[in-house]
Amino acid sequence: MSLVRRGPPEAQGMAVSNMLFSDVESFLDSHPDLFEDYLNRKGNYSMVEKWLKNHRASKGPAAAAPAAEPREEKGNACKDSWASRSDGLQRRASQKELRKTFARSKAINVNRTYDEHVNSRAQEPLTSMRRRALLRKASSLPPTTAHILSALLESRVNIPQYPATAVDFKYYLKEHSEREFFLELVKDISNDLDLTSLSYKILVFVCIMVDADRCSLFLVEGTGNKKTLVSKFFDVHAGTTVLPSMNSDEVQVPWGKGIIGYVAEHGETVNIPDAYQDRRFSDEIDKLTGYKTKSLLCMPIRNSDGEIIGVAQAINKTSSRELFTEDDEKVLQMYLPFCGIAISNAQLFAASRKEYDRSRALLEVVNDLFEEQTDLEKIVRKIMHRAQTLLKCERCSVQLLEDIESPVVKFTKSFELLSPKCSADTESSFKDSMEKSSYSDWLINNSIAELVASTGLPVNISDAYQDPRFDAEADQFSDFHIRSVLCVPIWNSNHQIIGVAQVLNRLDGKPFDDADQRLFEAFVIFCGLGINNTIMYDQVKKSWAKQSVALDVLSYHATCSKTEVDKFKAANIPLVCELGIDKLSFDDFSLDVDVMITAALRMFIELGMVQKFKIDYETLCRWLLTVRKNYRMVLYHNWRHAFNVCQCMFAMLTTAGFQETLTELEILALIVGCVCHDLDHRGTNNAFQAKTGSALALLYGTSATLEHHHFNHAVMILQSEGHNIFSNLSSTEYSDLMQLLKQSILATDLTLYFEKRNTFFELVSKGEYNWNVKAHRDMCRSMMMTACDLGAVTKPWEISRKVAELVTSEFFEQGDRERLELKLTPSAIFDRNRKDELPGLQLEWIDGICSPLYETLVKLNPKLQPMVDMIRANRANWEELNKKRQSEQSVSDPTGPYSAETTETKSCTGAKPGNTPCCGGDSESTPPKTAS
């Protein structure tokens, strides 16, 4: 059926002109099949897009507008109703839905200062009332972008967003309305404060504007002579996805290099028809991406102040035969200023967010300071962890000075923290670094730290190997290689440098900038406060412990009475030969407690100490009696043991002839050290003090705990009124003597003995020992102190065995306390249930500790040979007892042909030699097991 009858063309034209549109519309309504067939044959994409636009707009908010509104407003409402999606166009949510979405976002983001989903396409703008309140707040401040952004941060609201329109619609606008197209692009970037998505939008829009196949955007980083051009998106085209990929690596271009560097440096537009014919062109990016650059349009981006902040580059027209024209340049010259403003705002907003995060981190550090002030290592590591997280560096360290008053820089404590991103095992890296506290290989290279500690000035090195202050040779020997260094001093409340803090290598490979330095200096201020508070707390704890120990000592001990002093002052002192104290085989149990005082007086007189150092005789008597009172009534480490050690030293000095080699000051220090070496011994060893957390362990630490206490107790007695036997010494002699006395008492710690003995043995065996070398003399005196402390093993069999039984009994009492108080199973030498293992343990003791020492001393002084002979005789007796025990055990438990061997092995491995000083040694340390 036809609308009109066919006829001549003139007649047809007249018929069409006489037709009414209402008649045609009525006809099409009556014949939908005809209309559908016509639309399928004649319709195009533009028609369908218009229909969809108008159809969807009629259901949106604009449909409710009065019919009297202008047509243009209705068109704008249609355009705003478009939203971009990866799969096409999307209708905007209704006002009811928007209100619900906004309410939910406020409930969720009430504590956020910025929207984590700022790029969401369905973001709802603020209500007009809230927006007016925000603007009123911002208007009260100076009219700068920085203050407006600060107001946005402080207001805890989401930033208003305009939904981005689809890319296809932008192409449509470009074809039909250049004005609306340009305004759409400007509006789309004007409200985006995320620098990453903004950069990506700019590149996509530049591609659309100039029909470029690829685009790149480089932003200026750094200041002064350290400027570089950095881009995370250098291969963007209009057909890529709406959201950028975050897996792209940065591309850096040196300032002034290549066309991009040239444009940034000179601020000129460059339009090249053939890039490879231009000498400024660098093909490094082409090699990196595998893309062939032909034509190229490159233009600077400036901020509102006219400064160049970036460079935009369009590469290759979509049509391979076309080149970039002057019209393309004009379009970019119009568009890029808006891009510069948007980039500046985004950078300013990012800087404000960064400063907010850093301020929040500083507040968290303050919170840490108040939470933890009892442990220095914990608080420093907490601060380092936060600093490392915020600065995003590979390693962080804090090194504390040994003496803040000394002009010589020497570090005594060091804390380090390794970023988990630098370790293959990211889960355990932080835990391991938090628990580990030692000088690692990279801390050996502390030349920068020493410089900062000595000058008090921060050091920021962007390229370590190019800086003369950096020790490159030391760095090459470590597994960790340093690129950049930021090191600042740590000050206390008195403005004294107490250490340095150092961070190494930013994770992104860039050097530390001024913002990083300011932040780290702020962190170090809090670090100094925390360290100072913790040190003060530790000093208070030590003062309390010292007071507790002093009260305990005073409550138990007292000085001797005047009657006792007068008694010994008037007493007749027997001769050396009458007392037998010059014999190496002296009987340790032959003298009673009073005679031991007279014998000690005889030793001082015989050695010439009274005459040489003008020691007041009454003071000497009082001092000896008070020292005797300050030995507790324990089974072995008592006054008798102290006298026997002193007697052994006297015999070595006189009979063996060491008196002729040592100075009189050294002899006095050795004799006094022997008398005082176990003052206030509690019958337990150093390990027990550490296990129980006693006041002694808290005061002196876990290294040579009791030995330090013995020395300090000796000093306390000497400083008591009427007890200073050194009062007539000169200041120099007194200072030297106190140092020698401390060395002598600390030498009785078996841990120190094991540290020095191999060196001493090697010097003597090679014949390289030299009495004129101070270090050699110090070692020899220490070995003599140990030999006298263990001297019971060199005495006749009955004496030696009796001493071993006393030592074992004292150990058993400690083992009982460990079992009762600490709920621990004691080791063999402390376990009375295993007392039958004494012979085997004694053999280990002699072979591993005693024999090597005395045999070496004999090489140095052959007059000590009787001591070695007696040790061998005693060892034979212990071995006989051990075999007898093994045979008895074999008879009582015949488990097989290898039972004897099994028993012997058990006895030899029941305890470590360092734990079994069964013949006169002080079991105050736990040295490693040593073979003879």
Side-chain angles (χ1 to χ4, degrees), residues 15-223:
V16 171
S17 63
N18 293 330
M19 290 180 61
L20 297 176
F21 180 80
S22 58
D23 296 334
V24 176
E25 186 176 18
S26 176
F27 175 81
L28 292 176
D29 290 338
S30 303
H31 301 83
D33 296 337
L34 178 63
F35 172 72
E36 182 179 352
D37 178 71
Y38 180 84
L39 185 63
N40 288 333
R41 288 185 293 105
K42 300 292 186 177
N44 55 38
Y45 179 84
S46 176
M47 293 171 55
V48 175
E49 191 176 40
K50 286 182 179 179
W51 182 88
L52 288 173
K53 177 181 176 183
N54 294 328
H55 178 71
R56 295 193 178 193
S58 65
K59 299 181 181 180
E69 288 186 1
R71 183 78 176 181
E72 182 179 352
E73 292 184 11
K74 188 173 183 179
N76 290 339
C78 295
K79 183 172 60 178
D80 286 345
S81 67
W82 285 48
S84 62
R85 286 186 60 179
S86 58
D87 57 349
L89 302 176
Q90 176 188 8
R91 181 180 61 85
R92 288 185 61 187
S94 65
Q95 291 296 332
K96 183 178 181 180
E97 292 172 339
L98 291 175
R99 286 193 294 270
K100 290 181 178 179
T101 302
F102 182 76
R104 284 195 299 268
S105 68
K106 294 307 293 177
I108 296 173
N109 300 326
V110 66
N111 292 321
R112 293 181 184 165
T113 56
Y114 64 94
D115 187 7
E116 294 182 354
H117 306 284
V118 71
N119 298 320
S120 174
R121 300 172 193 82
Q123 183 66 42
E124 169 61 15
L126 294 172
T127 63
S128 58
M129 182 181 299
R130 186 65 181 273
R131 188 180 301 110
R132 285 196 299 270
L134 178 60
L135 291 177
R136 282 198 302 271
K137 182 175 182 179
S139 63
S140 64
L141 300 172
T144 63
T145 309
H147 287 91
I148 295 175
L149 290 174
S150 300
L152 288 174
L153 285 172
E154 295 171 0
S155 64
R156 296 177 177 270
V157 299
N158 294 327
I159 300 170
Q161 292 285 297
Y162 297 97
T165 56
V167 174
D168 291 340
F169 182 62
K170 289 182 172 62
Y171 276 109
Y172 169 78
L173 290 178
K174 180 182 178 183
E175 294 175 3
H176 293 82
S177 176
E178 290 185 359
R179 178 178 177 274
E180 290 189 11
F181 166 71
F182 190 86
L183 292 176
E184 181 67 29
L185 298 189
V186 171
K187 184 182 70 175
D188 218 353
I189 64 171
S190 63
N191 56 78
D192 196 339
L193 293 178
D194 182 81
L195 189 58
T196 301
S197 63
L198 175 64
S199 302
Y200 196 83
K201 283 182 180 180
I202 291 173
L203 294 180
V204 173
F205 296 165
V206 168
C207 285
I208 297 174
M209 294 178 74
V210 298
D211 291 325
D213 186 48
R214 294 288 188 273
C215 279
S216 304
L217 177 64
F218 290 81
L219 299 180
V220 178
E221 289 188 0
T223 57

Side-chain angles (χ1 to χ4, degrees), residues 793 842-852 871 874-875 878:
V793 77
Q842 195 65 27
L843 289 173
E844 280 193 355
W845 171 254
I846 292 173
D847 293 341
I849 296 179
C850 301
S851 292
I871 289 176
N874 290 334
R875 189 193 185 285
W878 285 116

Side-chain angles (χ1 to χ4, degrees), residues 501-565:
Q502 183 174 255
V503 288
L504 306 175
N505 300 356
R506 274 179 44 165
L507 289 174
D508 57 7
K510 300 177 182 178
F512 296 101
D513 54 26
D514 293 338
D516 294 328
Q517 181 172 332
R518 290 194 301 271
L519 174 65
F520 197 48
E521 288 176 341
F523 262 92
V524 166
I525 292 174
F526 293 107
C527 188
L529 291 174
I531 291 172
N532 190 55
N533 291 343
T534 306
I535 291 176
M536 290 177 61
Y537 180 83
D538 187 59
Q539 290 175 348
V540 171
K541 284 175 60 179
K542 286 189 174 181
S543 298
W544 174 87
K546 191 171 184 179
Q547 182 183 16
S548 177
V549 171
L551 291 174
D552 183 45
V553 170
L554 292 175
S555 65
Y556 186 88
H557 302 294
T559 58
C560 61
S561 64
K562 187 177 184 303
T563 305
E564 290 180 304
V565 177

Side-chain angles (χ1 to χ4, degrees), residues 51 61 83 86 151 164 195 270 319 361 380 480 490 555 574 648 750 878 896:
W51 182 88
S86 58
L195 189 58
V270 172
S319 177
V380 173
F480 180 82
I490 302 175
S555 65
C648 187
L750 288 180
W878 285 116

